[in-house]
Amino acid sequence: DRGGGGAWGAGAATARAAVRGVPHEHRGLGNSSSSGSTWRVVSKLRDPQVEVCSGRLVSLQEVSFMTDLKLMGVMRQCMDSIHFRWFAGRSIWDFKAEGTKRLTLPPPFEFLNELLAALVSVAERTMLRGETLAVIQLIINRFKDGGDEVKPHKHRCRQVCLSLGAERELNVEGHVQLMRHGDCMPLNNETHSVPPAKSVGKPRVSVCLFYGSTKEYADVSISVNANDGWHGSSIWWEHPEDFQRPQWEHPADSRRSRTRQKDFLLMLNEMSTKTWVAAGAMSIWQNEDELIIRVGINEAHER
């Protein structure tokens, strides 16, 4: 069931960060929880000076203390999670952060924390001299088999993406690499995709950490989205079901212009609003007098 909340469908909830109006149990906590408990997991790399470069695969088992057994445990719990929702070829689940140096999750999501600490350590090795890491989002993709896919796209920030489970090809700027269980791919704005592989009958999970520097975060020069407003109105990727519920506004948002691409823009009076669904993506902004809905040409369907 890819659309209705079954094991591979939308799921019952989405995990969101510490933003206005979001229940505490679905927040990313940074370093500690409001209950007074401290959720700190230290996962040092085997070689603190290991070289990590964009576009070059890194084995997490080799560079960190995450073992095959630990990674399989994370994958099993992700596969069983009810929090995934269907999006553009696969199921997806996300946690949003606010430019913190760490992302540490409270129960019942603490099973991800040791892995997150390892991914943060890998991400820190990609930072330039003088930069401080600023984590903005964690996105987990679930593939039930080779029929699930990720279409070509890119992000306006850096990322480290970990592959768990079945081997799948990753296409980065036209170069295809095979990602095996435990492989990490650091990326920095490159266009990438996971093409369908009908011959693959086993499941896969990818755990992707999105980040930049604290300066980039403060300047609002990074975003998980390639274009402002396309997958949400903030620095975060947002599921289409959440677009009408904006939860966060950066102080510098008022200085940001909404980029108008070759999409089709519909400007509708609030009293005569129609709901449109784009194939895999849409975005909605609420102004004082009007609702602006962006959809792809020839992809809009009235619901």
Side-chain angles (χ1 to χ4, degrees), residues 29-289:
L29 294 180
N31 285 331
S32 62
S33 70
S34 61
S35 64
S37 301
T38 301
W39 295 91
R40 293 189 179 183
V41 180
V42 177
S43 179
K44 296 180 179 179
L45 298 179
R46 296 178 186 273
D47 176 7
Q49 303 303 316
V50 64
E51 184 179 0
V52 179
C53 301
S54 178
R56 183 186 300 175
L57 285 175
V58 174
S59 170
L60 197 63
Q61 298 98 313
E62 292 180 4
V63 302
S64 79
F65 297 98
M66 293 297 297
T67 64
D68 279 331
L69 184 62
K70 289 179 179 180
L71 293 177
M72 287 305 299
V74 171
M75 181 180 175
R76 282 195 295 270
Q77 294 199 63
C78 286
M79 294 298 294
D80 292 338
S81 175
I82 65 170
H83 298 292
F84 286 89
R85 294 184 288 179
W86 185 252
F87 175 77
R90 80 284 193 190
S91 299
I92 196 166
W93 177 23
D94 77 288
F95 295 85
K96 298 172 175 64
E98 296 180 322
T100 55
K101 190 175 181 179
R102 300 285 185 270
L103 178 60
T104 309
L105 306 175
F109 311 117
E110 75 275 16
F111 70 91
L112 289 164
N113 283 339
E114 187 173 3
L115 174 58
L116 284 176
L119 292 179
V120 164
S121 296
V122 172
E124 285 178 331
R125 295 300 304 148
T126 70
M127 305 302 289
L128 302 177
R129 185 182 300 274
E131 288 186 329
T132 301
L133 183 73
V135 176
I136 56 177
Q137 192 161 16
L138 175 73
I139 291 180
I140 305 174
N141 299 292
R142 186 172 64 181
F143 306 75
K144 73 176 187 301
D145 55 32
D148 290 355
E149 64 177 313
V150 177
K151 296 175 174 60
H153 67 289
K154 63 181 179 178
H155 308 279
R156 207 166 67 247
C157 64
R158 286 168 268 188
Q159 71 177 104
V160 172
C161 195
L162 168 71
S163 184
L164 301 175
E167 296 180 356
R168 291 292 296 269
E169 290 184 343
L170 176 69
N171 189 318
V172 180
E173 299 284 355
H175 300 283
V176 177
Q177 301 191 55
L178 184 65
M179 293 194 74
R180 298 180 172 89
H181 179 70
D183 282 348
C184 282
M185 175 60 81
L187 294 173
N188 187 1
N189 302 117
E190 296 93 341
T191 298
H192 55 284
S193 64
V194 180
K198 299 299 184 182
S199 62
V200 176
K202 296 182 179 180
R204 174 182 184 259
V205 168
S206 64
V207 183
C208 302
L209 185 75
F210 297 89
Y211 61 94
S213 69
T214 51
K215 183 179 186 303
E216 290 171 326
Y217 178 78
D219 293 343
V220 204
S221 61
I222 54 172
S223 174
V224 179
N225 304 309
N227 299 304
D228 289 340
W230 181 243
H231 290 295
S233 56
S234 71
I235 62 171
W236 301 319
W237 172 87
E238 298 177 74
H239 194 279
E241 293 177 5
D242 300 330
F243 285 160
Q244 297 188 57
R245 302 195 303 274
Q247 298 286 346
W248 181 88
E249 182 178 358
H250 194 285
D253 272 352
S254 60
R255 300 196 303 269
R256 299 171 63 179
S257 61
R258 297 188 175 108
T259 305
R260 300 200 174 199
Q261 304 296 328
K262 295 180 180 179
D263 337 306
F264 191 47
L265 282 177
L266 297 175
M267 302 183 67
L268 304 173
N269 184 279
E270 185 176 359
M271 298 305 293
S272 59
T273 297
K274 298 178 181 178
T275 302
W276 297 82
V277 178
M282 70 174 184
S283 61
I284 299 176
W285 302 302
Q286 181 69 61
N287 290 340
E288 292 183 0
D289 302 317

